[in-house]
Amino acid sequence: MLGPDDVSGLKTLVDQGVINPEEVIAILGKTEGNGCVNDFSRGFSTFAFRSYLQEITGKTHSQLSKQVAFVMSGGTEGVMSPHAVVFTNRVTDATPQDQKSFVAVSGFTREFLPEEIGTKSMVFEVAEAVTQLMDSAGIDDPKDVHFVQVKCPLLTSEHINNAHTRGKPVVTHDTYKSMAYSRAAAALGVGVATRELNEVDISAHDIGHNWGLYSSVASTSSGIELMNCELILMGNSRLGSGEYWIGHAVMQDSIDLQAILRALKNAGLNFEELPNPRELTRIASVFAKAEMSSTGTVRNRRTTALTDSDINHTRHARAVVSAVIASVVGDPMIYVSGGAEHQGPDGGGPIAVIVSQ
């Protein structure tokens, strides 16, 4: 895990020999923009990381784009610290271990046409990509998948006009709403791949509307900087190195502290009421999705997040959920992404924890 000074932090770890740049397969970061359509901090961060890796590896932009998933999520409201988590894939003899342990793999879909964003075409493509990642990770039981991070595209005015010139309809003409549709379709695709959902039961109208359909391990984020989906799948497999373990739980709402504790225990921490400082030092990373309920309430109490004209509800959600999690794990350097359409139940979302064994 790196500090908020993005590339300098990665450079330090490379110089110290902690990270081999040739083994980097994904960089998952939280940037300090607004997380909305005009959040260019995601693209700037991706550019910085990619440029640095190009410089020290000698690889081209095209080569790195096929090897490394640069997944940047905007918005570090509240106490959340801007940071990045770097995933590497060390070359081994690939001999399966006796016990399962943490493994991460990354991959990509093809690029989407504007009219495909937020549709069943995206659901199908993401499902296929996740299925392939499970196979490459040596995971045959979906229960061993604990978090699937997807970075997906959104619709800009240029994209919408491009579709119109070809006589093609788009899911929405609201660029901000297109972020939600894209996240929703990607999340449903994860659910299909992990067998939580059946693709034949998903209609076009369900995408972004039927909150009864969701994945308990999907985490999707939209951005202006790409037209395909970049994926990072995290789970436990006998192909893991044995150093770490990942577990998860599902928050039912934005203040579900008990779910956070269940995730910590599922990841392997041992405690009764709250983890002690020694157990907390075992935590390597925490990832979560945040969402305000479509009812505008939390535990039957009215909130104003959905009706705030100054601050978008996704920003409220990130601030609340990151504070609740940080208060338990004792560290604000956690990954919390807003907009949890079909990622956990309405108003809630998955939370995953990686710990050292």
Side-chain angles (χ1 to χ4, degrees):
M1 184 176 289
L2 307 178
D5 193 12
D6 295 337
V7 177
S8 64
L10 175 57
K11 183 179 185 302
T12 297
L13 294 180
V14 170
D15 290 344
Q16 292 175 346
V18 177
I19 290 178
N20 180 347
E22 297 287 347
E23 297 175 342
V24 175
I25 63 166
I27 299 179
L28 175 59
K30 286 300 300 185
T31 65
E32 51 196 292
N34 59 25
C36 299
V37 176
N38 66 331
D39 182 356
F40 299 103
S41 69
R42 298 175 298 222
F44 291 152
S45 186
T46 295
F47 175 79
F49 276 116
R50 182 184 283 120
S51 296
Y52 172 66
L53 289 178
Q54 282 182 241
E55 177 186 339
I56 61 176
T57 64
K59 294 182 178 179
T60 66
H61 180 286
S62 177
Q63 289 173 322
L64 279 178
S65 296
K66 295 176 182 178
Q67 172 189 333
V68 183
F70 296 94
V71 179
M72 301 300 158
S73 173
T76 51
E77 294 81 4
V79 300
M80 194 170 13
S81 177
H83 70 284
V85 180
V86 178
F87 297 88
T88 62
N89 188 1
R90 296 176 183 171
V91 178
T92 65
D93 60 7
T95 302
Q97 304 296 310
D98 293 334
Q99 301 293 327
K100 296 176 182 178
S101 60
F102 175 73
V103 64
V105 290
S106 63
F108 313 86
T109 67
R110 62 170 175 82
E111 290 197 348
F112 294 101
L113 294 169
E115 60 267 27
E116 294 178 304
I117 294 175
T119 69
K120 285 202 70 175
S121 293
M122 180 176 281
V123 174
F124 175 79
E125 292 291 341
V126 170
E128 185 175 37
V130 173
T131 300
Q132 292 173 353
L133 289 180
M134 289 172 61
D135 183 62
S136 66
I139 296 176
D140 51 21
D141 185 348
K143 293 180 180 179
D144 285 326
V145 177
H146 290 275
F147 206 70
V148 182
Q149 178 63 49
V150 184
K151 186 67 182 185
C152 45
L154 55 83
L155 288 171
T156 64
S157 297
E158 182 181 6
H159 297 150
I160 294 171
N161 290 334
N162 174 278
H164 284 173
T165 60
R166 294 180 289 104
K168 300 294 184 180
V170 291
V171 292
T172 179
H173 290 81
D174 185 320
T175 56
Y176 187 79
K177 288 183 179 179
S178 77
M179 299 181 74
Y181 276 107
S182 186
R183 290 191 300 259
L188 291 173
V190 174
V192 170
T194 54
R195 303 175 204 165
E196 298 172 277
L197 303 172
N198 191 328
E199 186 182 2
V200 299
D201 296 330
I202 302 173
S203 69
H205 179 71
D206 287 325
I207 302 174
H209 295 284
N210 184 356
W211 307 128
L213 300 176
Y214 64 83
S215 167
S216 63
V217 296
S219 170
T220 66
S221 177
S222 302
I224 199 173
E225 66 272 18
L226 75 177
M227 283 302 287
N228 66 336
C229 286
E230 301 191 356
L231 305 91
I232 307 172
L233 183 145
M234 308 177 210
N236 295 312
S237 164
R238 287 190 171 84
L239 297 183
S241 66
E243 295 180 62
Y244 298 96
W245 180 268
I246 185 171
H248 83 281
V250 179
M251 297 178 70
Q252 298 301 308
D253 58 36
S254 57
I255 57 172
D256 191 355
L257 183 143
Q258 293 303 316
I260 299 171
L261 298 179
R262 288 196 300 273
L264 293 172
K265 289 183 176 180
N266 189 245
L269 294 193
N270 298 307
F271 60 92
E272 293 184 5
E273 295 183 356
L274 290 173
N276 60 43
R278 183 175 181 179
E279 284 291 283
L280 291 178
T281 62
R282 296 175 56 197
I283 298 175
S285 291
V286 180
F287 312 99
K289 285 300 296 188
E291 182 69 285
M292 302 308 298
S293 171
S294 62
T295 64
T297 63
V298 175
R299 303 191 186 184
N300 297 319
R301 301 289 191 182
R302 184 175 69 89
T303 68
T304 61
L306 296 182
T307 54
D308 189 338
S309 298
D310 297 313
I311 304 175
N312 191 275
H313 65 90
T314 56
R315 308 192 72 183
H316 281 282
R318 285 191 292 265
V320 172
V321 174
S322 64
V324 175
I325 296 174
S327 69
V328 176
V329 303
D331 189 346
M333 193 176 284
I334 52 181
Y335 178 95
V336 179
S337 172
E341 301 85 1
H342 306 299
Q343 302 151 69
D346 184 23
I351 172 172
V353 185
I354 300 174
V355 303
S356 59
Q357 296 214 74

